[in-house]
């Protein structure tokens, strides 16, 4: 796969300019030069092979050669809700969920959450989505929603019928695949409270266990999303 660069504007065949961190990445990190062919994407589901025509200090000029639409998305909607873990683990979580094709990530506020991502943090998470999409070939960006309170999130009427909440000791077991829309919820390091699990059950969530060891937030989220995503291709 050619080196991929994200552009924050509509794209089409013809000239385009790249600036900011993506231009720096192309010119300084990858050391690409006029004549090299790269792949541009902007999250619209397509990708745009383009030839570098000029490399200046802060701006790279390219010529988009054609438009392609390879199928790399899941055939169903997969939403993951979890508190944002601390430090580097937040990056790991967002990176892996992006690779797995998750449609939407919902940062959760629960009774025992520690980290509450502010707006600046959300921008950082969105940057991780772009970085992961460059690497894995995704042309649709995983959406990051604003912080949601568990009590209201778990009752949203826009959620799909298949809703799974991971809770140590949960009686349910996770089957594979299923290619149907699903929402997956993971709790904070302190766990969901009994009230939160009760609210989820009343709202129709299935409470499932992931084995006898306690997993970190990001491990539980990646296991859940991975289990549902790997069969989900058209
Ligand atoms: N101390 C907490 C564990 C929190 S781990 C407790 O005992 O509940 C963080 C989150 O990961 C949990 O809220 C749950 O959603 C998920 N998780 C971790 N290990 C799990 C397991 N073995 N089964 C199901 N969910 C698990």
């Amino acid at each position: 796969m050619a080196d991929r660069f994200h552009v924050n504007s509509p794209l089409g065949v013809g000239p385009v300019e790249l600036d900011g961190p993506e231009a720096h990445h192309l010119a300084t990190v990858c050391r690409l030069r006029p004549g090299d062919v790269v792949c541009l994407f902007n999250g619209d589901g397509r990708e745009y092979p383009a030839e570098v025509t000029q490399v200046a200090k802060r701006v790279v000029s390219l010529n988009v050669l054609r438009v392609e639409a390879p199928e790399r998305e899941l055939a169903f909607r997969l939403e993951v809700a979890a508190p944002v873990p601390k430090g580097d683990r937040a990056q790991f979580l967002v990176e892996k969920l992006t690779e797995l094709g998750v449609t939407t990530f919902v940062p959760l506020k629960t009774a025992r959450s520690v980290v509450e991502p502010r707006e600046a943090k959300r921008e950082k998470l969105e940057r991780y989505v772009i970085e992961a999409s460059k690497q894995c070939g995704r042309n649709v960006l995983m959406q990051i929603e604003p912080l949601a309170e568990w009590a209201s999130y778990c009752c949203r009427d826009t959620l799909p019928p298949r809703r799974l909440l991971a809770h140590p000791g949960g009686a349910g077991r996770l089957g594979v695949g299923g290619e149907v829309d699903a929402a997956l919820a993971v709790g904070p390091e302190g766990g969901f409270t009994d009230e939160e699990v009760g609210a989820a059950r009343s709202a129709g969530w299935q409470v499932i266990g992931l084995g006898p060891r306690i997993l970190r937030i990001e491990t539980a989220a990646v296991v859940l999303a991975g289990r549902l995503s790997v069969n989900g291709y058209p």
Side-chain angles (χ1 to χ4, degrees), residues 166-168 186-192 208-211 213-217 220:
H167 194 54
V186 171
E189 299 302 356
F192 282 116
I208 57 164
L210 298 173
R213 291 166 305 285
I214 298 297
L215 311 176
R216 296 272 209 169
I217 298 169

Side-chain angles (χ1 to χ4, degrees), residues 202-224:
S202 310
W205 288 71
Q206 193 188 338
V207 179
I208 57 164
L210 298 173
R213 291 166 305 285
I214 298 297
L215 311 176
R216 296 272 209 169
I217 298 169
E218 63 278 19
T219 318
V222 167
V223 165
L224 276 171

Side-chain angles (χ1 to χ4, degrees), residues 105-185:
F105 172 66
V106 184
L108 275 188
K109 182 175 183 193
T110 66
R112 298 184 182 140
S113 296
V114 188
V115 180
E116 284 185 25
R118 288 189 297 269
E119 214 34 44
K121 177 83 181 196
R122 198 164 123 209
E123 278 171 26
K124 226 174 178 183
L125 299 183
E126 281 164 355
R127 190 70 221 164
Y128 300 151
V129 172
I130 290 173
E131 290 305 325
S133 302
K134 285 167 73 172
Q135 174 273 323
C136 76
R138 224 176 143 176
N139 291 318
V140 176
L141 300 181
M142 180 174 78
Q143 296 303 303
I144 305 221
E145 284 205 3
L147 188 70
E149 298 249 3
W150 174 251
S152 56
Y153 174 77
C154 76
C155 301
R156 276 188 193 173
D157 55 14
T158 49
L159 290 172
R162 187 170 201 206
R163 279 158 289 166
L164 307 175
L165 173 140
H167 194 54
R173 291 286 171 265
L174 181 61
V176 265
E179 302 199 18
V180 288
D181 292 354
L184 310 172

Side-chain angles (χ1 to χ4, degrees), residues 80-99:
V80 174
V84 175
K86 283 190 237 165
D88 290 353
R89 294 165 44 216
Q91 178 171 5
F92 177 90
L93 173 65
V94 167
E95 184 179 293
K96 300 309 154 202
L97 295 184
T98 303
E99 286 173 37

Side-chain angles (χ1 to χ4, degrees), residues 69-89:
E71 191 45 80
R72 303 206 184 104
E73 293 303 303
L74 296 176
F76 56 93
R77 177 172 147 227
L78 187 55
E79 179 160 317
V80 174
V84 175
K86 283 190 237 165
D88 290 353
R89 294 165 44 216

